[in-house]
């Protein structure tokens, strides 16, 4: 029942009542979703707490959102972690868009089945538009039956204009900050701001250049046109406004760890480009040299605007299409996370957030309410926002508009039933005005040779994905590109940013030979990838793989890896509301060991904290996160989290193949503390022969103490990425310094040498799991300094093994010492190049005949 804007909600379930703060789930308990109350249900049906409209039913049927007649919106969520049931135990009794009366049945529940698979049956009733309403539980209620009064909901003054329309008795928290994100507040930084804001009850806005946007709208935030180093005002209003303000200032002022060094921005469109001597000039987005027939990829065609439409039908069509696209993106996102493709995962995580953006959804729904078809309503809403970003005159934001165009096309395909069946020739060079991320994923499954676009830029999401998949790509080739005839044979020289339209027969022959040589070299390397990598004088070097999942491990094993040199366990802990339990962790770790056959697996304990936050592990804001609570330091702060992981690691079988690696160790006492914990846990579990325990050398103090650490550790593994930035005092994510953070700096080589010498005094082996291990130019230097294991990206296993076989260990040991006296990383690289090329060529010629006769792996110089 309600009176104007006031409303009394009746109980939707029977059972004991508790405040949200006592719910064993941090998202509900923190109030991040809004105010409300919880019930531990004893009946098997969920009822409407008031009259209203069903505005959303979860795809997995475990939750219903209801909008009351006064505008208040409520989320009714049955159980905790019930999304994993995928609808099992739930029967929907209403339809989305249907009007219901108070007490009407919404869901039928199989409590026994739900209880067997969910974390808890505790169900929540949450007011989700707390900017307009407040809820107060009915006093003195500890247990309730369906239909009894439960919550009193009253309207409050709108907070859409936070700085002026709220009651003067509550002052908003305000602060100013310069945006530190490379390229300004484009899609991914905007998504970070949105995610941060959603962690607080307070409402927040960003103000810039006379305009403002809610922190909850990605499109609105990007539409402000905020550039790097622009100063913005942050305004927060609510009970936790001060905390929200500090968190948002941190999110704006500290670049994300995944941001890449800035590349020169390409023009978004170069319509005045011309064909000069049969060559179109653009900008390299992903290198390579290929030839093949042109294939023109056209955008989705939208039919003419139909007449007046039935709004309810069109709302349902749009909702269905959005759910379909959301499910597809979630599948792509999960696949990228499982493969450890962080950049790809970040792109599609942003797409998911854009798909839920209230600004876009409201615009499309309003157009439908005015009689528009769902196709045209969605198209108009997306194109209008694209125009806003394009008009800002900032190349990076204009490129981000391509993400919106991608979502426009994906949803239109779902609405139109466009299956996109394309007859793309194998080895084609695809031409388009501008490709989208989903286009690229589709094309990569058709074995195309390369991509070229009339528009686009080298910093676009498509460029990032093309580089990750090794597809040559040139952007900003101009409108003349679109005039070229499909089927004609061209050369895409992405290294030079050129499309050669009229290559001669000799040029085509050269390109084909070059391509075939590369393919043959990789085949030869892969043919012998499963053979141990042994130097010419008989020293075996273990070439392992860096992986992030069981799937990665299976690929690495198939590629010839001698083991896993680094399993990053963070994939189990991120993007969820609760930590994985011991059994889930054990299952994941055992799966990796099983996938590697009889090979050893190095598993690093969780390395989060600092700039890698977990939703269920709140930590204080840090001025310099990379120097804060990271790695083993966090494990010491939260020992129960580390103990649970150590128990799971001790349960894998066989223990002889498991090697536990500790990140961010800076002193011997940290190692001794964990070793003692392992002994205690091993005794509790009845384990007599436990896994080896190693230390990651990634801070200078660990390298300087290598001999002392090696006395108590079973092995040492050097993480050159972090060791580089800590030694050189340069942030490897800093746009202006990233190019100088070179692990071949002589200071880094001295620390590596010191580590190997210290380890050798206690007969411990040393590996390298950082990016330097994957650089063939560094192989001779690393093994000459004493490294005996190289953990690399799986596709490079064959190449690195081939490089090892070209080398003489004794010669490498003598030569590598000369590098320690050089003055710069550039000097070291030049010395490595001089040592590598003639050395490999001469040895290749000398040994080819012997190897062909004996069937040994040939030298394949890179």
């Amino acid at each position: 029942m309600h009176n104007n804007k006031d409303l009394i909600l009746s109980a939707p379930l029977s059972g004991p009542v508790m405040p949200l703060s006592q719910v064993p789930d941090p998202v509900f308990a923190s109030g991040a979703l809004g105010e409300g109350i919880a019930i531990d249900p004893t009946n098997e049906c969920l009822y409407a707490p008031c009259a209203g409209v069903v505005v959303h039913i979860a795809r997995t049927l475990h939750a219903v959102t209801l909008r009351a007649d006064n505008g208040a919106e409520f989320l009714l969520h049955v159980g905790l972690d019930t999304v994993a049931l995928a609808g099992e135990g739930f029967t929907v009794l209403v339809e989305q868009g249907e009007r219901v009366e108070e007490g009407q049945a919404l869901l039928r529940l199989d409590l026994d089945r739900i209880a067997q698979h969910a974390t808890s049956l505790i169900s929540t009733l949450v007011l989700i538009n707390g900017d307009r309403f407040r809820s107060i539980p009915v006093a003195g209620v500890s247990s309730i039956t369906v239909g009894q009064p439960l919550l009193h909901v009253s309207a409050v003054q709108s907070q859409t204009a936070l700085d002026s329309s709220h009651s003067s008795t509550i002052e908003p928290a305000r602060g100013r900050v310069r945006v530190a994100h490379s390229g300004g507040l484009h899609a991914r930084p905007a998504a970070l701001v949105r995610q941060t804001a959603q962690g607080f009850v307070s409402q927040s806005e960003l103000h810039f250049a006379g305009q403002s946007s809610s922190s909850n709208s990605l499109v609105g935030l990007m539409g402000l046109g905020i550039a790097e180093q622009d100063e913005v005002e942050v305004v927060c209003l609510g009970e936790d406004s001060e905390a929200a303000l500090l968190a948002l200032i941190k999110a704006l002022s500290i670049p994300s760890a995944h941001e890449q060094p800035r590349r020169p921005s390409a023009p978004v469109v170069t319509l005045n480009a011309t064909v000069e001597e049969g060559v179109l000039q653009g900008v390299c987005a992903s290198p390579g040299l290929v030839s093949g027939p042109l294939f023109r990829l056209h955008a989705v065609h939208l039919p003419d605007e139909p007449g007046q439409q039935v709004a309810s039908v069109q709302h349902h069509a749009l909702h269905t299409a959005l759910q379909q696209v959301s499910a597809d993106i979630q599948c792509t996102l999960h696949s990228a996370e499982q493969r450890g493709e962080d950049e790809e995962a970040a792109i599609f995580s942003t797409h998911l957030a854009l798909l839920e953006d209230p600004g876009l959804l409201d615009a499309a729904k309003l157009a439908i309410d005015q009689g528009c078809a769902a196709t045209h309503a969605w198209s108009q809403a997306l194109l209008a926002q694209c125009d806003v970003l394009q008009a800002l005159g900032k190349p990076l934001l204009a490129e981000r508009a391509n993400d919106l165009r991608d979502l426009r096309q994906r949803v239109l395909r779902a609405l139109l039933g466009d299956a996109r069946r394309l007859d793309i020739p194998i080895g084609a060079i695809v031409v388009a005005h501008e490709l989208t991320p989903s286009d690229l994923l589709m094309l990569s499954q058709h074995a195309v040779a390369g991509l070229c676009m009339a528009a686009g830029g080298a910093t676009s999401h498509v460029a990032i994905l093309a580089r990750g998949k090794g597809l040559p790509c040139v952007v900003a080739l101009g409108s003349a590109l679109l005039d070229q005839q499909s089927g004609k044979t061209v050369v895409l020289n992405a290294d030079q940013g050129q499309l050669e339209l009229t290559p001669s027969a000799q040029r085509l022959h050269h390109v084909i030979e070059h391509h075939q040589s590369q393919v043959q070299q990789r085949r030869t390397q892969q043919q012998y990838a499963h053979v141990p990598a042994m130097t010419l004088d008989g020293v075996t070097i273990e070439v392992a793989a860096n992986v992030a999942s069981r799937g990665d491990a299976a690929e690495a094993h198939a590629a010839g890896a001698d083991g896993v040199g680094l399993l990053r366990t963070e994939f189990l802990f991120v993007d969820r509301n609760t930590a994985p339990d011991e059994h889930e962790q054990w299952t994941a770790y055992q799966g990796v060991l099983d996938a590697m056959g009889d090979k050893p697996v190095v598993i690093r304990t969780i390395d989060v904290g600092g700039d890698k936050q977990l939703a269920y592990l709140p930590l204080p804001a840090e001025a310099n996160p990379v120097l804060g609570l990271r790695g083993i330091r966090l494990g010491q702060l939260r020992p129960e989290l580390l103990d649970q992981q150590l128990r799971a690691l001790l349960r894998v079988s066989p223990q002889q193949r498991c090697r536990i690696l500790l990140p961010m160790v800076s002193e011997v006492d940290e190692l001794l503390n964990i070793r003692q914990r392992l002994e205690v846990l091993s005794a509790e579990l009845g384990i007599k022969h436990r896994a080896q325990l190693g230390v990651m050398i990634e801070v200078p103090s660990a390298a300087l103490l290598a001999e002392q650490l090696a006395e108590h550790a079973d092995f040492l593994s050097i993480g050159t990425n972090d060791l580089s930035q800590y030694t050189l005092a340069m942030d490897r994510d800093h746009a202006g310094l990233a190019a100088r953070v070179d692990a071949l700096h002589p200071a880094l080589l001295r620390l590596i040498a010191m580590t190997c010498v210290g380890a050798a005094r206690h007969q411990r082996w040393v590996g390298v799991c950082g990016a330097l291990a994957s650089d063939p130019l560094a192989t001779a230097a690393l093994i000459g300094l004493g490294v005996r294991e190289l953990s690399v990206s799986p596709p490079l296993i064959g190449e690195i093994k081939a490089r090892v076989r070209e080398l003489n260990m004794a010669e490498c040991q003598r030569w590598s010492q000369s590098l320690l006296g050089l003055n710069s990383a550039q000097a070291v690289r030049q010395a490595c190049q001089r040592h590598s090329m003639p050395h490999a060529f001469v040895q290749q010629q000398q040994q080819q005949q012997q190897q062909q006769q004996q069937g040994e792996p040939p030298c394949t110089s890179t």
Side-chain angles (χ1 to χ4, degrees):
M1 56 184 175
H2 63 90
N3 178 20
N4 295 328
K5 294 293 184 178
D6 288 352
L7 181 69
I8 300 293
L9 296 186
S10 62
L13 295 162
S14 298
V17 176
M18 66 183 72
L20 281 186
S21 60
Q22 295 181 10
V23 174
D25 183 292
V27 175
F28 289 109
S30 66
L33 292 177
E35 303 172 344
I37 203 161
I39 300 173
D40 196 354
T42 56
N43 66 309
E44 296 199 335
C45 194
L46 176 74
Y47 296 91
C50 63
V53 175
V54 177
V55 295
H56 183 257
I57 300 173
R59 179 173 52 86
T60 49
L61 312 182
H62 68 287
V64 175
T65 303
L66 184 67
R67 181 184 296 128
D69 294 337
N70 67 348
E73 296 183 350
F74 305 98
L75 171 67
L76 294 98
H77 190 285
V78 179
L80 302 180
D81 294 332
T82 41
V83 66
L85 274 68
E88 289 188 25
F90 300 92
T91 303
V92 180
L93 304 176
V94 292
E95 294 183 354
Q96 190 162 302
E98 179 181 343
R99 176 172 178 79
V100 296
E101 299 302 324
E102 180 179 351
Q104 184 173 337
L106 304 176
L107 297 177
R108 184 173 293 116
L109 315 173
D110 184 340
L111 291 186
D112 289 338
R113 176 173 291 188
I114 297 171
Q116 288 173 7
H117 298 90
T119 302
S120 170
L121 283 174
I122 293 175
S123 303
T124 56
L125 170 58
V126 181
L127 173 65
I128 58 177
N129 54 346
D131 57 330
R132 298 172 53 199
F133 298 88
R134 285 289 178 266
S135 66
I136 302 175
V138 174
V141 176
S142 59
S143 185
I144 202 162
T145 58
V146 170
Q148 288 184 330
L150 180 65
L151 282 178
H152 178 255
V153 178
S154 59
V156 297
Q157 188 174 357
S158 174
Q159 296 177 2
T160 55
L162 297 177
D163 54 358
S164 60
S165 66
H166 200 275
S167 171
S168 60
T169 60
I170 302 178
E171 288 295 325
R174 298 173 179 270
R176 303 191 71 84
V177 61
R178 289 195 180 277
V179 174
H181 294 275
S182 177
L185 212 59
H186 51 92
R188 277 184 278 183
L192 173 63
V193 171
R194 177 179 182 264
Q195 182 182 28
T196 302
Q198 289 179 335
F200 298 90
V201 176
S202 296
Q203 303 295 304
S204 58
E205 290 181 347
L206 263 60
H207 294 238
F208 176 71
Q211 295 182 303
S212 65
S213 169
S214 165
S215 300
N216 197 41
S217 173
L218 287 185
V219 171
L221 291 172
M222 290 190 293
L224 294 177
I226 298 170
E228 185 177 359
Q229 293 304 311
D230 278 346
E231 186 177 73
V232 301
E233 183 180 29
V234 184
V235 183
C236 302
L237 185 61
E239 59 192 60
D240 54 2
S241 58
E242 293 291 343
L245 178 64
L246 290 174
L248 285 168
I249 286 177
K250 176 185 176 183
L252 290 163
S253 62
I254 301 177
S256 303
H258 61 253
E259 287 188 17
Q260 298 298 307
R262 182 187 298 161
R263 304 174 181 88
S265 292
V268 176
V269 181
T270 52
L271 296 178
N272 59 344
T274 57
V275 181
E276 296 181 3
E277 299 180 357
V279 176
L280 281 177
Q281 183 66 50
V283 175
C284 174
S286 179
L289 176 64
V290 291
S291 63
L294 283 180
F295 179 84
R296 176 70 185 275
L297 186 69
H298 295 277
V300 175
H301 174 68
L302 190 62
D304 294 336
E305 171 77 70
Q308 188 80 8
Q309 299 293 303
V310 178
S312 61
V313 174
Q314 298 304 311
H315 278 303
H316 178 74
L318 178 60
H319 173 76
T320 302
L322 290 171
Q323 281 194 319
Q324 177 184 329
V325 173
S326 176
D328 290 344
I329 295 175
Q330 285 173 339
C331 182
T332 303
L333 174 61
H334 179 70
S335 174
E337 290 173 339
Q338 289 296 305
R339 288 182 279 111
E341 296 288 349
D342 295 338
E343 284 193 320
E344 184 177 329
I347 290 168
F348 289 103
S349 179
T350 299
H351 282 202
L352 269 184
L354 284 170
L355 202 63
E356 301 168 355
D357 191 284
L360 297 175
L361 296 176
D362 290 347
K365 291 174 181 177
L366 178 61
I368 289 175
D369 289 338
Q370 294 173 346
C372 199
T375 49
H376 290 72
W378 180 253
S379 179
Q380 292 165 14
L382 272 291
L383 291 178
Q385 294 301 333
C386 288
D387 291 342
V388 169
L389 296 181
Q390 204 85 36
L392 292 171
K394 298 183 178 181
L396 191 58
L397 282 176
E399 289 169 4
R400 293 297 84 86
N402 196 37
D403 294 311
L404 292 176
R405 283 190 282 271
D406 192 355
L407 290 176
R408 172 184 176 269
Q409 293 203 159
R410 293 189 76 154
V411 175
L412 287 179
R413 288 178 201 143
L415 285 165
L416 296 169
D418 181 5
R420 204 70 180 279
R421 294 186 181 90
L422 299 174
D423 186 17
I424 304 176
I426 294 175
I429 294 175
V430 176
V431 171
H433 172 75
E434 188 168 14
L435 293 168
T436 68
S438 61
D439 286 334
L440 188 139
L441 293 184
M442 178 269 295
L443 291 169
S444 66
Q445 299 171 1
H446 284 77
V448 301
L451 314 169
C452 47
M453 293 180 270
T459 59
S460 69
H461 283 163
V462 170
I464 292 171
L465 292 174
R467 287 192 290 272
K469 295 186 178 300
L471 272 176
C473 178
V474 176
V475 298
L477 284 162
S479 57
L481 172 68
L482 305 180
D483 297 330
Q484 304 308 310
Q485 182 179 357
S486 288
K488 68 186 295 186
T489 301
V490 297
V491 168
L492 183 65
N493 185 354
D495 295 329
Q496 303 297 321
Q498 295 177 337
L499 180 67
E500 301 172 20
L501 301 173
T502 56
S504 65
Q506 184 178 2
R507 173 61 169 161
L508 287 172
H509 180 70
H510 168 75
V511 172
I512 292 171
E513 274 194 336
H514 172 80
H515 179 69
Q516 289 176 340
S517 174
Q518 285 188 323
V519 170
Q520 183 57 46
Q521 181 171 304
R522 293 191 186 102
R523 284 177 180 168
T524 302
Q525 292 170 347
Q526 189 56 42
Q527 182 180 355
Y528 293 95
H530 290 270
V531 179
M534 184 180 295
T535 65
L536 297 172
D537 48 351
V539 179
T540 299
I541 303 297
E542 186 175 296
V543 181
N546 295 333
V547 305
S549 67
R550 177 175 185 159
D552 283 356
E555 291 179 13
H557 187 260
D562 296 326
V564 168
L566 176 65
L567 169 64
R568 303 176 182 92
T569 59
E570 292 76 51
F571 77 97
L572 280 171
F573 293 83
V574 299
D575 297 326
R576 54 190 297 160
N577 298 324
T578 58
D581 61 23
E582 182 180 326
H583 180 75
E584 182 181 352
Q585 292 189 54
W586 170 79
T587 301
Y589 307 148
Q590 187 65 55
V592 173
L593 258 72
D594 293 344
M596 287 305 298
D598 61 350
K599 309 295 184 183
V601 175
V602 176
I603 304 178
R604 186 177 68 187
T605 59
I606 182 173
D607 184 15
V608 296
D611 59 342
K612 293 184 284 186
Q613 297 282 349
L614 300 177
Y616 50 86
L617 190 65
L619 295 171
E622 296 179 283
N624 197 338
V626 296
L627 300 180
L629 290 171
R630 285 192 58 192
I632 204 64
R633 303 167 189 170
L634 180 61
Q636 292 173 320
L637 180 69
R638 295 293 300 271
E640 74 284 357
L641 195 67
L642 182 58
D643 278 1
Q644 186 182 59
Q645 184 171 34
L646 293 176
R647 279 194 296 268
L649 289 168
L650 289 170
R651 288 177 54 204
V652 301
S653 179
Q655 278 285 289
Q656 291 81 357
R657 288 202 292 115
C658 181
R659 300 168 177 173
I660 300 172
L661 182 62
L662 305 177
M664 292 300 293
V665 171
S666 59
E667 59 187 23
V668 178
D669 284 350
E670 291 172 326
L671 169 61
L672 292 176
N673 176 266
I674 301 304
R675 180 171 280 282
Q676 183 180 24
R677 286 302 303 151
L678 270 178
E679 297 295 346
V680 172
L681 294 173
S682 297
E684 291 177 0
L685 295 171
I687 295 173
K688 295 181 179 179
H689 303 288
R690 61 162 180 77
Q692 290 186 5
L693 180 64
V695 167
M696 202 162 182
I697 306 296
E698 51 189 335
V699 299
S701 64
L704 295 169
L705 291 172
E707 183 178 349
Q708 292 92 321
L709 288 168
E711 182 180 354
H712 304 285
D714 298 305
F715 66 96
L716 305 178
S717 183
I718 302 172
T720 54
N721 301 352
D722 271 328
L723 186 60
S724 299
Q725 71 171 348
Y726 290 133
T727 301
L728 301 175
M730 294 181 186
D731 185 349
R732 57 192 170 101
D733 292 320
H734 190 289
L737 298 175
R740 295 175 59 189
V741 184
D742 191 334
L744 278 179
H745 192 287
L748 266 294
L749 296 184
R750 285 173 175 260
L751 291 175
I752 292 171
M754 185 178 296
T755 299
C756 293
V757 169
R761 287 176 181 159
H762 296 282
Q763 293 78 51
R764 310 302 191 197
W765 61 269
V766 176
V768 173
C769 59
L772 192 64
S774 296
D775 186 350
L777 200 63
T779 305
L782 291 175
I783 68 173
L785 292 174
V787 172
R788 293 297 176 263
E789 183 229 42
L790 300 169
S791 190
V792 305
S793 176
L796 295 173
I797 291 168
E799 182 177 351
I800 296 299
K801 283 192 172 185
R803 177 67 180 132
V804 170
R805 297 184 187 113
E806 298 172 349
L807 303 172
N808 179 287
M809 175 60 72
E811 180 188 334
C812 289
Q813 288 172 334
R814 290 191 298 271
W815 169 75
S816 63
Q817 292 302 311
S818 67
L819 302 178
L820 305 181
L822 297 179
N823 297 326
S824 67
Q826 182 180 6
V828 172
R829 285 198 173 273
Q830 289 173 350
C832 289
Q833 288 167 349
R834 289 193 300 269
H835 179 267
S836 174
M837 300 309 293
H839 178 86
F841 177 78
V842 171
Q843 290 183 351
Q844 182 177 3
Q845 300 301 313
Q846 290 175 344
Q847 294 180 56
Q848 272 185 343
Q849 291 182 338
Q850 291 180 347
Q851 292 162 347
Q852 288 173 0
Q853 294 172 358
Q854 299 172 7
E856 296 176 358
C859 296
T860 51
S861 172
T862 59

